[in-house]
Amino acid sequence: MSLRRKPNFPASQSRVFAIGVACLVGALAAIAPARAEVSEVRIVRQFGIHYLPLVIMEHENLIEKASAAEGRKDLKVTWARLSGGASVNDALLAKAVDLSAGGVGPLLVLWDRSKGGKRDVKALAAVSDVPMTLTTLNPKIKSIEDFTDKDKIALPAVKTSMQAVTLQMAAAKKWGPKEFERLDRLTMSLPHPDATTAMLSGAGQINSHFTAAPFDFLQLKTPGIHAVLDSYEVYGGPATLILLYAAQSFCDDNPKTCLTVVKAMGQAMDLVRSDKKRAAEIYLSVTKEKTTAEDLVAMLENPKIQFRLEPSATIPAAEFLHSTGRIKNKPASWKDYFFPFSHGLNGS
Protein backbone atom coordinates (compact mmCIF):
# COMPACT_ATOMS: atom_id res chain seq x y z
CA MET A 1 0.00 0.00 0.00
CA SER A 2 1.38 3.42 -0.89
CA LEU A 3 2.16 6.10 1.67
CA ARG A 4 0.68 8.61 -0.73
CA ARG A 5 -2.52 8.06 1.22
CA LYS A 6 -2.97 11.01 3.61
CA PRO A 7 -4.38 10.42 7.08
CA ASN A 8 -7.01 12.74 8.52
CA PHE A 9 -5.05 15.15 10.73
CA PRO A 10 -6.82 17.47 13.15
CA ALA A 11 -7.02 21.13 12.11
CA SER A 12 -5.87 22.60 15.40
CA GLN A 13 -2.16 22.36 16.10
CA SER A 14 -1.90 24.33 19.36
CA ARG A 15 0.13 21.56 20.93
CA VAL A 16 2.14 20.80 17.84
CA PHE A 17 4.48 18.13 19.14
CA ALA A 18 1.90 16.11 21.05
CA ILE A 19 -0.67 16.28 18.29
CA GLY A 20 1.93 15.50 15.64
CA VAL A 21 2.97 12.28 17.34
CA ALA A 22 -0.65 11.33 17.92
CA CYS A 23 -1.41 11.86 14.25
CA LEU A 24 1.49 9.72 13.16
CA VAL A 25 0.52 6.96 15.54
CA GLY A 26 -3.03 7.18 14.19
CA ALA A 27 -1.74 6.86 10.67
CA LEU A 28 0.28 3.84 11.68
CA ALA A 29 -2.78 2.13 13.06
CA ALA A 30 -4.76 2.88 9.93
CA ILE A 31 -2.30 1.39 7.47
CA ALA A 32 -2.24 -2.34 6.88
CA PRO A 33 0.64 -3.58 4.75
CA ALA A 34 -0.27 -5.46 1.60
CA ARG A 35 2.91 -7.50 1.78
CA ALA A 36 5.52 -8.57 4.30
CA GLU A 37 7.74 -5.70 5.38
CA VAL A 38 11.50 -5.73 5.84
CA SER A 39 12.95 -7.64 8.76
CA GLU A 40 15.83 -5.15 9.07
CA VAL A 41 15.95 -1.36 8.75
CA ARG A 42 19.31 0.37 8.21
CA ILE A 43 19.76 3.97 9.32
CA VAL A 44 22.72 6.31 8.89
CA ARG A 45 23.33 9.45 10.94
CA GLN A 46 26.17 11.93 11.30
CA PHE A 47 28.01 13.63 14.16
CA GLY A 48 26.71 16.14 16.69
CA ILE A 49 24.01 16.73 19.26
CA HIS A 50 21.61 17.65 16.44
CA TYR A 51 21.29 13.88 15.96
CA LEU A 52 20.44 13.29 19.64
CA PRO A 53 17.00 11.68 19.07
CA LEU A 54 18.60 9.11 16.78
CA VAL A 55 21.35 8.42 19.31
CA ILE A 56 18.69 7.81 21.96
CA MET A 57 16.72 5.59 19.59
CA GLU A 58 19.83 3.47 19.04
CA HIS A 59 20.83 3.20 22.70
CA GLU A 60 17.33 2.56 24.05
CA ASN A 61 16.25 0.26 21.18
CA LEU A 62 13.17 2.43 20.77
CA ILE A 63 12.40 1.27 17.24
CA GLU A 64 12.58 -2.37 18.24
CA LYS A 65 10.38 -1.73 21.29
CA ALA A 66 7.81 0.24 19.30
CA SER A 67 7.75 -2.49 16.68
CA ALA A 68 7.29 -5.21 19.29
CA ALA A 69 4.43 -3.25 20.86
CA GLU A 70 2.73 -3.33 17.46
CA GLY A 71 3.09 -7.10 17.21
CA ARG A 72 6.36 -7.27 15.23
CA LYS A 73 9.02 -8.68 17.49
CA ASP A 74 11.62 -9.57 14.86
CA LEU A 75 12.58 -6.15 13.45
CA LYS A 76 16.34 -5.62 13.45
CA VAL A 77 17.80 -2.10 13.38
CA THR A 78 21.32 -1.44 12.09
CA TRP A 79 22.99 1.92 12.66
CA ALA A 80 25.87 3.55 10.78
CA ARG A 81 27.68 6.90 10.97
CA LEU A 82 29.08 8.99 8.15
CA SER A 83 30.20 12.60 7.77
CA GLY A 84 28.68 14.99 5.24
CA GLY A 85 25.45 15.17 3.29
CA ALA A 86 27.00 13.78 0.12
CA SER A 87 28.09 10.63 1.96
CA VAL A 88 24.70 9.88 3.49
CA ASN A 89 23.01 10.60 0.16
CA ASP A 90 25.37 8.25 -1.66
CA ALA A 91 24.63 5.54 0.89
CA LEU A 92 20.89 5.96 0.34
CA LEU A 93 21.17 5.97 -3.44
CA ALA A 94 23.36 2.86 -3.35
CA LYS A 95 20.72 1.15 -1.15
CA ALA A 96 23.37 0.58 1.50
CA VAL A 97 20.93 2.16 3.98
CA ASP A 98 17.17 2.60 4.08
CA LEU A 99 16.92 5.87 6.01
CA SER A 100 19.34 8.79 6.05
CA ALA A 101 19.56 11.60 8.58
CA GLY A 102 21.06 14.73 7.11
CA GLY A 103 20.72 18.42 6.48
CA VAL A 104 17.89 20.18 4.70
CA GLY A 105 20.19 21.09 1.79
CA PRO A 106 21.32 17.53 1.03
CA LEU A 107 17.71 16.32 1.23
CA LEU A 108 16.54 19.01 -1.19
CA VAL A 109 19.25 18.15 -3.70
CA LEU A 110 18.34 14.47 -3.55
CA TRP A 111 14.60 15.21 -3.73
CA ASP A 112 15.17 17.34 -6.82
CA ARG A 113 17.32 14.76 -8.61
CA SER A 114 15.03 11.84 -7.82
CA LYS A 115 11.71 13.62 -8.30
CA GLY A 116 9.22 11.54 -10.26
CA GLY A 117 11.30 8.37 -10.32
CA LYS A 118 11.15 5.07 -8.45
CA ARG A 119 13.79 6.37 -6.07
CA ASP A 120 11.85 9.57 -5.32
CA VAL A 121 13.29 10.76 -1.98
CA LYS A 122 11.33 12.66 0.66
CA ALA A 123 11.52 13.42 4.37
CA LEU A 124 9.60 11.45 6.98
CA ALA A 125 10.01 14.09 9.70
CA ALA A 126 12.31 16.76 11.05
CA VAL A 127 14.87 15.83 13.69
CA SER A 128 16.23 19.08 15.12
CA ASP A 129 16.36 22.85 15.05
CA VAL A 130 19.96 23.60 16.03
CA PRO A 131 21.93 26.74 15.18
CA MET A 132 25.19 26.31 13.32
CA THR A 133 28.11 28.47 14.44
CA LEU A 134 31.10 29.64 12.42
CA THR A 135 34.05 29.80 14.81
CA THR A 136 37.60 31.03 14.25
CA LEU A 137 41.02 31.27 15.86
CA ASN A 138 41.87 34.39 13.87
CA PRO A 139 41.35 37.48 16.08
CA LYS A 140 41.14 39.72 12.99
CA ILE A 141 37.97 38.04 11.76
CA LYS A 142 34.84 39.76 13.06
CA SER A 143 32.52 38.98 10.13
CA ILE A 144 32.63 36.86 6.98
CA GLU A 145 34.05 39.76 4.97
CA ASP A 146 37.27 39.54 7.03
CA PHE A 147 38.24 36.08 5.73
CA THR A 148 41.25 36.01 3.41
CA ASP A 149 43.03 33.38 1.35
CA LYS A 150 45.16 32.61 4.42
CA ASP A 151 42.12 31.23 6.26
CA LYS A 152 40.67 27.74 6.01
CA ILE A 153 37.12 26.87 7.08
CA ALA A 154 36.34 23.25 7.99
CA LEU A 155 32.81 21.91 7.47
CA PRO A 156 31.33 18.43 6.95
CA ALA A 157 31.30 18.59 3.14
CA VAL A 158 32.19 21.41 0.76
CA LYS A 159 29.30 22.85 -1.26
CA THR A 160 26.77 20.19 -0.17
CA SER A 161 26.51 20.24 3.64
CA MET A 162 24.09 22.56 5.41
CA GLN A 163 27.07 24.50 6.73
CA ALA A 164 28.33 24.99 3.17
CA VAL A 165 24.89 26.04 1.89
CA THR A 166 24.38 28.42 4.81
CA LEU A 167 27.80 29.99 4.25
CA GLN A 168 26.83 30.55 0.62
CA MET A 169 23.54 32.13 1.70
CA ALA A 170 25.45 34.47 4.01
CA ALA A 171 27.83 35.38 1.18
CA ALA A 172 24.91 36.11 -1.14
CA LYS A 173 23.40 38.43 1.47
CA LYS A 174 26.72 40.21 2.01
CA TRP A 175 27.99 40.57 -1.57
CA GLY A 176 24.97 39.86 -3.75
CA PRO A 177 23.41 36.73 -5.33
CA LYS A 178 26.15 36.29 -7.95
CA GLU A 179 28.83 36.11 -5.23
CA PHE A 180 27.32 33.21 -3.28
CA GLU A 181 30.39 31.00 -3.87
CA ARG A 182 32.87 33.68 -2.83
CA LEU A 183 34.03 31.83 0.29
CA ASP A 184 33.90 28.29 -1.15
CA ARG A 185 37.60 28.41 -2.01
CA LEU A 186 38.38 28.63 1.71
CA THR A 187 36.34 25.58 2.74
CA MET A 188 37.49 22.01 3.22
CA SER A 189 35.70 18.81 4.19
CA LEU A 190 36.42 17.51 7.67
CA PRO A 191 34.21 15.67 10.22
CA HIS A 192 33.19 17.82 13.18
CA PRO A 193 35.18 15.81 15.78
CA ASP A 194 38.40 16.06 13.74
CA ALA A 195 37.91 19.76 13.03
CA THR A 196 37.23 20.42 16.70
CA THR A 197 40.44 18.63 17.67
CA ALA A 198 42.35 20.81 15.23
CA MET A 199 40.70 23.99 16.52
CA LEU A 200 41.37 23.16 20.17
CA SER A 201 45.00 22.31 19.48
CA GLY A 202 45.57 25.40 17.37
CA ALA A 203 47.71 23.35 15.03
CA GLY A 204 47.11 22.27 11.48
CA GLN A 205 45.79 23.81 8.32
CA ILE A 206 42.38 25.05 9.46
CA ASN A 207 41.77 28.07 11.66
CA SER A 208 37.97 28.22 11.37
CA HIS A 209 35.09 25.76 11.62
CA PHE A 210 31.39 25.94 10.68
CA THR A 211 29.87 23.54 13.16
CA ALA A 212 27.03 22.93 15.64
CA ALA A 213 26.49 21.65 19.17
CA PRO A 214 28.26 20.25 21.05
CA PHE A 215 31.35 21.20 19.08
CA ASP A 216 30.72 24.95 18.97
CA PHE A 217 30.07 25.03 22.73
CA LEU A 218 33.35 23.21 23.39
CA GLN A 219 35.32 25.50 21.12
CA LEU A 220 33.86 28.73 22.48
CA LYS A 221 34.92 27.75 26.00
CA THR A 222 38.52 27.82 24.78
CA PRO A 223 40.42 31.13 24.99
CA GLY A 224 41.29 32.47 21.55
CA ILE A 225 38.26 31.00 19.75
CA HIS A 226 35.28 33.23 19.00
CA ALA A 227 32.08 33.13 16.97
CA VAL A 228 31.76 34.88 13.62
CA LEU A 229 28.29 33.84 12.46
CA ASP A 230 25.17 32.13 13.81
CA SER A 231 23.03 30.38 11.18
CA TYR A 232 19.82 31.73 12.71
CA GLU A 233 21.06 35.18 11.65
CA VAL A 234 21.06 33.93 8.06
CA TYR A 235 17.64 32.27 8.26
CA GLY A 236 16.01 35.04 10.26
CA GLY A 237 15.22 32.79 13.22
CA PRO A 238 15.03 29.11 14.23
CA ALA A 239 15.42 26.71 11.33
CA THR A 240 15.46 22.94 10.98
CA LEU A 241 18.95 21.59 10.53
CA ILE A 242 18.39 17.83 10.32
CA LEU A 243 15.72 15.70 8.63
CA LEU A 244 15.13 11.96 8.37
CA TYR A 245 14.48 10.88 4.79
CA ALA A 246 14.02 7.83 2.59
CA ALA A 247 13.14 6.70 -0.92
CA GLN A 248 9.45 6.60 -1.84
CA SER A 249 9.79 2.96 -2.88
CA PHE A 250 11.06 1.94 0.56
CA CYS A 251 8.26 3.70 2.41
CA ASP A 252 5.65 2.42 -0.04
CA ASP A 253 6.80 -1.14 0.56
CA ASN A 254 7.29 -0.66 4.31
CA PRO A 255 4.70 1.83 5.58
CA LYS A 256 4.47 0.42 9.09
CA THR A 257 8.24 0.32 9.47
CA CYS A 258 8.61 3.95 8.40
CA LEU A 259 5.91 5.15 10.75
CA THR A 260 7.27 3.02 13.59
CA VAL A 261 10.61 4.79 13.16
CA VAL A 262 8.92 8.20 13.35
CA LYS A 263 6.93 7.10 16.39
CA ALA A 264 10.16 6.01 18.10
CA MET A 265 11.78 9.32 17.23
CA GLY A 266 8.89 11.14 18.87
CA GLN A 267 9.46 9.06 21.99
CA ALA A 268 13.16 9.98 21.95
CA MET A 269 12.28 13.67 21.66
CA ASP A 270 9.91 13.27 24.60
CA LEU A 271 12.76 11.80 26.65
CA VAL A 272 14.93 14.83 25.85
CA ARG A 273 12.15 17.15 27.03
CA SER A 274 11.46 15.27 30.24
CA ASP A 275 14.98 14.21 31.31
CA LYS A 276 17.83 16.19 29.79
CA LYS A 277 20.38 14.65 32.15
CA ARG A 278 19.46 11.13 31.05
CA ALA A 279 19.55 12.23 27.39
CA ALA A 280 23.02 13.70 27.89
CA GLU A 281 24.28 10.53 29.56
CA ILE A 282 22.96 8.41 26.71
CA TYR A 283 24.60 10.67 24.14
CA LEU A 284 27.99 10.40 25.85
CA SER A 285 27.73 6.63 26.31
CA VAL A 286 27.19 6.18 22.57
CA THR A 287 29.44 8.88 21.08
CA LYS A 288 32.31 8.79 23.63
CA GLU A 289 32.80 12.50 23.04
CA LYS A 290 35.07 14.33 25.45
CA THR A 291 32.64 16.56 27.29
CA THR A 292 30.54 16.26 30.41
CA ALA A 293 26.89 15.49 30.98
CA GLU A 294 26.59 18.82 32.79
CA ASP A 295 27.86 20.70 29.74
CA LEU A 296 25.48 18.80 27.49
CA VAL A 297 22.52 19.57 29.76
CA ALA A 298 23.44 23.26 29.56
CA MET A 299 23.39 22.98 25.77
CA LEU A 300 20.02 21.24 25.80
CA GLU A 301 18.59 24.00 28.00
CA ASN A 302 19.51 26.56 25.34
CA PRO A 303 16.14 27.67 23.90
CA LYS A 304 17.69 27.82 20.43
CA ILE A 305 18.04 24.03 20.43
CA GLN A 306 14.80 22.16 19.81
CA PHE A 307 13.95 18.59 18.82
CA ARG A 308 10.62 18.26 17.03
CA LEU A 309 9.00 16.38 14.18
CA GLU A 310 7.67 19.44 12.38
CA PRO A 311 10.09 21.29 10.07
CA SER A 312 10.91 24.97 10.56
CA ALA A 313 12.02 27.49 7.91
CA THR A 314 13.12 24.95 5.32
CA ILE A 315 11.78 26.95 2.38
CA PRO A 316 14.53 29.64 2.49
CA ALA A 317 17.13 26.97 1.78
CA ALA A 318 14.97 25.54 -1.02
CA GLU A 319 14.54 28.96 -2.60
CA PHE A 320 18.27 29.65 -2.40
CA LEU A 321 19.22 26.31 -3.95
CA HIS A 322 16.73 26.90 -6.75
CA SER A 323 17.96 30.45 -7.38
CA THR A 324 21.56 29.22 -7.69
CA GLY A 325 20.67 26.35 -10.00
CA ARG A 326 21.44 23.50 -7.60
CA ILE A 327 17.86 22.27 -7.79
CA LYS A 328 15.67 22.55 -10.88
CA ASN A 329 12.33 22.06 -9.17
CA LYS A 330 11.14 24.89 -6.95
CA PRO A 331 8.87 23.52 -4.21
CA ALA A 332 5.61 25.36 -3.59
CA SER A 333 5.75 24.41 0.10
CA TRP A 334 7.63 22.17 2.50
CA LYS A 335 5.01 19.46 1.87
CA ASP A 336 6.43 18.88 -1.61
CA TYR A 337 9.50 17.17 -0.14
CA PHE A 338 7.78 15.44 2.81
CA PHE A 339 5.75 12.24 2.71
CA PRO A 340 1.98 12.90 2.92
CA PHE A 341 1.61 11.22 6.31
CA SER A 342 3.49 14.19 7.82
CA HIS A 343 1.53 16.93 6.05
CA GLY A 344 -0.72 17.48 9.07
CA LEU A 345 2.20 18.77 11.10
CA ASN A 346 2.54 22.52 11.52
CA GLY A 347 5.63 22.84 9.34
CA SER A 348 7.26 25.51 7.26
Side-chain angles (χ1 to χ4, degrees), residues 49-86:
I49 206 169
H50 32 301
Y51 294 93
L52 177 59
L54 299 169
V55 174
I56 293 172
M57 290 159 67
E58 176 183 2
H59 186 271
E60 299 294 287
N61 298 314
L62 292 184
I63 299 173
E64 295 92 332
K65 291 176 182 176
S67 179
E70 293 152 8
R72 296 181 60 205
K73 299 182 179 181
D74 59 345
L75 182 63
K76 177 182 177 182
V77 183
T78 301
W79 295 89
R81 282 194 300 172
L82 293 170
S83 178

Side-chain angles (χ1 to χ4, degrees), residues 4 92 99-100 107 110-111 114-115 119-125 244-248 251 335-340 343:
R4 297 184 190 277
L92 190 64
L99 302 171
S100 288
L107 175 272
L110 200 51
W111 165 78
S114 65
K115 187 174 171 58
R119 295 290 293 169
D120 192 4
V121 175
K122 294 180 181 177
L124 286 77
L244 184 66
Y245 48 95
Q248 177 79 52
C251 283
K335 296 179 181 180
D336 289 354
Y337 42 87
F338 270 72
F339 287 111
H343 288 184

Side-chain angles (χ1 to χ4, degrees), residues 175-188:
W175 294 293
K178 294 182 179 180
E179 294 291 321
F180 73 93
E181 294 179 305
R182 185 163 176 166
L183 298 175
D184 283 7
R185 71 188 191 283
L186 307 181
T187 62
M188 59 183 294

Side-chain angles (χ1 to χ4, degrees), residues 219-232:
Q219 292 177 32
L220 294 173
K221 289 175 65 176
T222 303
I225 299 179
H226 68 274
V228 179
L229 180 70
D230 181 314
S231 63
Y232 285 6

